[in-house]
Amino acid sequence: MNMNFDHSNTPQKRVAPPIPNKPGVGLKPTHYEDILNKNPDIAWFEVHPENYMGDGGPPHRYLEAIRNNYPLSLHGVGLSIGGAGRLNKTHLTRLKELERRYQPGLFSEHLAWSSHDEIYLNDLLPLPLTVETLNIVCDHVDEVQEFVGRQMLLENPSTYIRFDQNDMDEVSFLTEVSNRTGCGLLLDVNNVFVSATNHDFNPQDYLEAFPLEKVGEIHLAGHATETDDTGKPLLIDAHDRKVSDPVWKLYEQTMARTRGIPTLIEWDTNIPEWDVLYSEAKFAQEVMDRATAIKSDEKHAIAS
Amino acid sequence: MPSHHKIQSRFADGLLNPDVETPKNLLGLGGEEPKKRYNVYRNNVTISLLESMRATFPVVLRLLGPQIFDPMATQFIREFPPTSPVLMTYGDGFPKFISTYDRVKQIPYLADVASCELLYLQTYHGKDADPIAIEALSTHAPETMAELKFECHPSARFFASKWPVGSIWFTNKFDDEVKPLNAERGGESVLFIRPQMEVIAHILAEDLHKFLSLIASNSSLGAAAEKVLTQFPEFDLQNALGAMFHFGLITKIH
């Protein structure tokens, strides 16, 4: 199955507002009241659908109220797309139901696995990048897109180990999945920086090779620093603090190659006051504006 | 080359079992055994599931303190890991596990408190519905009253214990300073219900609990009243009907 990346061509007949090429933030229950009271100038929100899979109650009421005022993105953590086993049909059905109810502008999942033999491990676990796993991931992405009836984005992971069986690098793997399934990609710049540090590669090389034309969303988050078995820095994708300076720099360099891409500030642990999260989003807007302005200036210069 | 399923099995085996060694097919930076790196995943899995248990059982956590709760919950996670990515429903088996866990056996009401926490969450995430008012009864002729059956609010959950679990649960959940309970206090029955946004816990007298549970399990008004009256001759039906609608328990009359 192949779906065009252009949302207007996907088989959805919905009134979902597209996610604008602006920063959004992860929606957290501690911020519900602030958002409803202050009606802040933020372009969109993202949630983990797994947190809204109850039958009713306050989570849905808040999400409905916020969804009425803002575009929404669903970012799943539980499908285990990179897992060897079959996708969980019950979970897919719940996702489809949420998709129908909230009509999100974007819908994404991870290049990772989180379930094994019926056990849900609640973490985004790494997979070897082989011909076998490429086929598995493509089949799973096809199944998701067909079942939910829309295009999904697949996110690059942050990892702490490498497998000795890899047949290809991560960018080639993701590009091939996108080519074969028509899925878009979600580029997590913090994940690139975390993995680059942990596996000693150049994050700029990774980003330059990344097919930006396939990227429907960008993620930014903070990371923690520990040390590995040899005493070298080991970065942990903790989502527990502000975005680090090197990640902002990589983001700016990446944005300069685009006309702007929806960009999410993720903050899932040690969640700050709303104003702190809001100011991260505003900062992302400044960086995006600065980077994309340089691009149009250059174009202008070339044209004249 | 081993299959992806095999590779995944090896990786998964140690995540919830600290006695399993680091898988052999993993590499750190210089090809050394990446024990600390693999342990990041072990930590992520265990700590995130422990956080989920802490969020589901805040009262048990408060009663025991983290020194006892955390190892107990960790052992539960290792023996009964979740099978669904929807963690709001994880922990079903915890009350039973508590009743067999040596270190807390001397706290006989603890398992029932844990059950209250699960029911509270079921009510919190339960289906929404609009309760109807008692006036709806007046549209039915008096001679048909005994035959009436009721549809109950989908968020309603009943629980009966030989311990005062409702009071223990309530003060530990909501009070900054826990209110001491009379040691003589007997068992309690609780109704958790969410007629609107908020979950409300009603501690019910024994006769009212029996009556409302019968109504909720589709007894007719007459049959339920008769059953309760044989056991509790003092039972006040008028009051019970008032309470039933006041709680928001009824969404439809058949």
Side-chain angles (χ1 to χ4, degrees):
Chain A
M1 187 174 76
N2 207 316
M3 283 195 229
N4 197 303
F5 188 47
D6 182 349
H7 287 226
S8 61
N9 288 346
T10 55
Q12 49 182 326
K13 294 178 182 57
R14 59 182 76 259
V15 290
I19 303 285
N21 288 339
K22 288 174 171 226
V25 299
L27 177 62
K28 295 289 150 192
T30 49
H31 299 142
Y32 286 154
E33 296 291 346
D34 271 329
I35 292 161
L36 289 173
N37 294 334
K38 296 178 181 170
N39 212 15
D41 170 30
I42 200 95
W44 53 286
F45 287 98
E46 182 164 283
V47 295
H48 296 311
E50 287 76 10
N51 293 335
Y52 295 88
M53 288 181 170
D55 291 330
H60 283 293
R61 298 219 191 169
Y62 280 111
L63 189 58
E64 290 278 4
I66 289 166
R67 173 67 185 83
N68 286 339
N69 298 338
Y70 299 93
L72 183 71
S73 162
L74 292 185
H75 181 55
V77 293
L79 260 183
S80 206
I81 282 182
R86 298 171 69 96
L87 294 183
N88 177 338
K89 267 274 156 48
T90 314
H91 196 61
L92 267 178
T93 306
R94 286 189 290 249
L95 278 171
K96 186 176 180 167
E97 165 58 22
L98 278 182
E99 209 275 343
R100 188 198 57 75
R101 177 167 177 178
Y102 290 103
Q103 304 184 353
L106 292 169
F107 172 65
S108 53
E109 254 284 357
H110 299 84
L111 178 62
W113 54 281
S114 52
S115 294
H116 179 69
D117 288 351
E118 312 297 316
I119 303 299
Y120 176 66
L121 292 154
N122 200 34
D123 193 23
L124 298 164
L125 299 161
L127 55 146
L129 304 177
T130 63
V131 173
E132 183 197 4
T133 59
L134 179 65
N135 288 332
I136 290 171
V137 170
C138 286
D139 285 350
H140 285 167
V141 170
D142 277 344
E143 188 180 347
V144 174
Q145 294 189 130
E146 204 156 333
F147 191 88
V148 183
R150 66 169 299 156
Q151 188 197 40
M152 61 165 284
L153 309 177
L154 188 65
E155 177 177 345
N156 61 300
S158 59
T159 56
Y160 310 113
I161 51 89
R162 283 179 299 134
F163 287 90
D164 58 11
Q165 295 96 338
N166 280 358
D167 292 339
M168 62 195 95
D169 64 70
E170 197 171 281
V171 175
S172 309
F173 190 99
L174 286 164
T175 306
E176 188 58 18
V177 174
S178 174
N179 285 341
R180 277 164 58 173
T181 66
C183 78
L185 299 176
L186 193 167
L187 172 59
D188 188 317
V189 180
N190 182 59
N191 285 357
V192 174
F193 185 71
V194 165
S195 290
T197 307
N198 292 348
H199 306 307
D200 198 24
F201 65 79
N202 184 337
Q204 281 164 329
D205 292 348
Y206 182 106
L207 288 166
E208 269 161 37
F210 207 89
L212 283 190
E213 71 283 2
K214 294 175 182 296
V215 174
E217 179 178 346
I218 292 211
H219 274 183
L220 299 172
H223 56 256
T225 306
E226 292 181 13
T227 52
D228 78 351
D229 303 82
T230 62
K232 295 214 170 93
L234 183 70
L235 302 189
I236 311 292
D237 183 26
H239 296 189
D240 64 344
R241 65 194 75 196
K242 290 186 170 190
V243 178
S244 70
D245 287 341
V247 171
W248 281 123
K249 201 169 165 201
L250 291 171
Y251 173 63
E252 184 161 359
Q253 289 164 350
T254 307
M255 274 303 104
R257 295 159 52 203
T258 73
R259 294 176 185 282
I261 295 177
T263 300
L264 185 85
I265 306 291
E266 289 183 294
W267 201 322
D268 298 314
T269 309
N270 296 333
I271 295 162
E273 298 286 306
W274 166 253
D275 292 342
V276 175
L277 190 58
Y278 181 74
S279 67
E280 282 282 272
K282 288 291 131 188
F283 189 70
Q285 184 71 64
E286 284 172 33
V287 175
M288 195 193 294
D289 288 348
R290 194 163 61 224
T292 51
I294 290 168
K295 192 189 177 205
S296 45
D297 284 354
E298 277 171 3
K299 281 207 162 163
H300 189 72
I302 292 162
S304 63
Chain B
M1 195 168 75
S3 70
H4 182 33
H5 185 266
K6 188 108 194 231
I7 291 169
Q8 197 177 296
S9 283
R10 277 191 209 144
F11 196 95
D13 279 349
L15 291 174
L16 285 169
N17 186 347
D19 299 330
V20 170
E21 286 181 10
T22 308
K24 292 281 174 259
N25 59 334
L26 304 182
L27 302 175
L29 257 191
E32 74 286 354
E33 190 194 13
K35 204 172 169 184
K36 278 178 88 173
R37 288 168 175 257
Y38 180 66
N39 282 346
V40 174
Y41 294 104
R42 278 184 155 141
N43 267 339
N44 282 353
V45 170
T46 309
I47 302 290
S48 69
L49 291 174
L50 181 59
E51 283 302 325
S52 159
M53 291 291 285
R54 285 169 154 233
T56 299
F57 300 102
V59 173
V60 177
L61 171 61
R62 186 173 182 181
L63 287 167
L64 297 177
Q67 301 84 344
I68 298 176
F69 182 90
D70 288 358
M72 178 170 79
T74 303
Q75 193 179 324
F76 173 78
I77 289 162
R78 288 179 177 149
E79 286 181 31
F80 304 98
T83 53
S84 163
V86 186
L87 289 178
M88 63 180 72
T89 57
Y90 176 54
D92 286 27
F94 199 46
K96 195 174 165 207
F97 181 85
I98 286 176
S99 62
T100 64
Y101 191 78
D102 268 350
R103 284 187 75 183
V104 300
K105 267 185 181 157
Q106 71 279 21
I107 315 175
Y109 53 83
L110 198 63
D112 282 1
V113 172
S115 293
C116 282
E117 302 216 73
L118 287 170
L119 294 174
Y120 167 83
L121 267 192
Q122 286 178 20
T123 300
Y124 183 86
H125 291 294
K127 232 181 189 157
D128 297 311
D130 291 322
I132 57 173
I134 194 164
E135 284 69 30
L137 271 183
S138 61
T139 59
H140 296 269
E143 62 275 16
T144 64
M145 284 284 184
E147 299 308 314
L148 296 181
K149 288 185 172 181
F150 302 88
E151 222 162 88
C152 286
H153 199 281
S155 75
R157 299 289 184 277
F158 292 93
F159 187 70
S161 168
K162 58 180 177 178
W163 308 100
V165 279
S167 303
I168 297 170
W169 173 82
F170 192 90
T171 187
N172 282 282
K173 178 131 180 121
F174 298 107
D175 296 335
D176 289 336
E177 211 164 305
V178 172
K179 290 194 183 82
L181 298 175
N182 185 344
E184 301 301 303
R185 207 170 171 129
E188 275 177 359
S189 301
V190 194
L191 163 65
F192 295 98
I193 189 164
R194 188 176 47 73
Q196 302 298 328
M197 267 294 242
E198 269 179 72
V199 176
I200 301 172
H202 300 283
I203 294 173
L204 306 176
E206 228 179 319
D207 56 351
L208 183 59
H209 172 251
K210 170 127 202 192
F211 176 71
L212 296 182
S213 325
L214 284 165
I215 293 291
S217 49
N218 209 28
S219 276
S220 69
L221 187 53
E226 206 183 305
K227 254 194 184 157
V228 177
L229 275 165
T230 34
Q231 201 184 339
F232 305 94
E234 308 288 296
F235 176 63
D236 183 340
L237 179 60
Q238 208 58 38
N239 260 346
L241 283 174
M244 178 168 102
F245 283 93
H246 177 70
F247 294 161
L249 184 63
I250 306 304
T251 57
K252 210 171 173 185
I253 304 177
H254 294 294

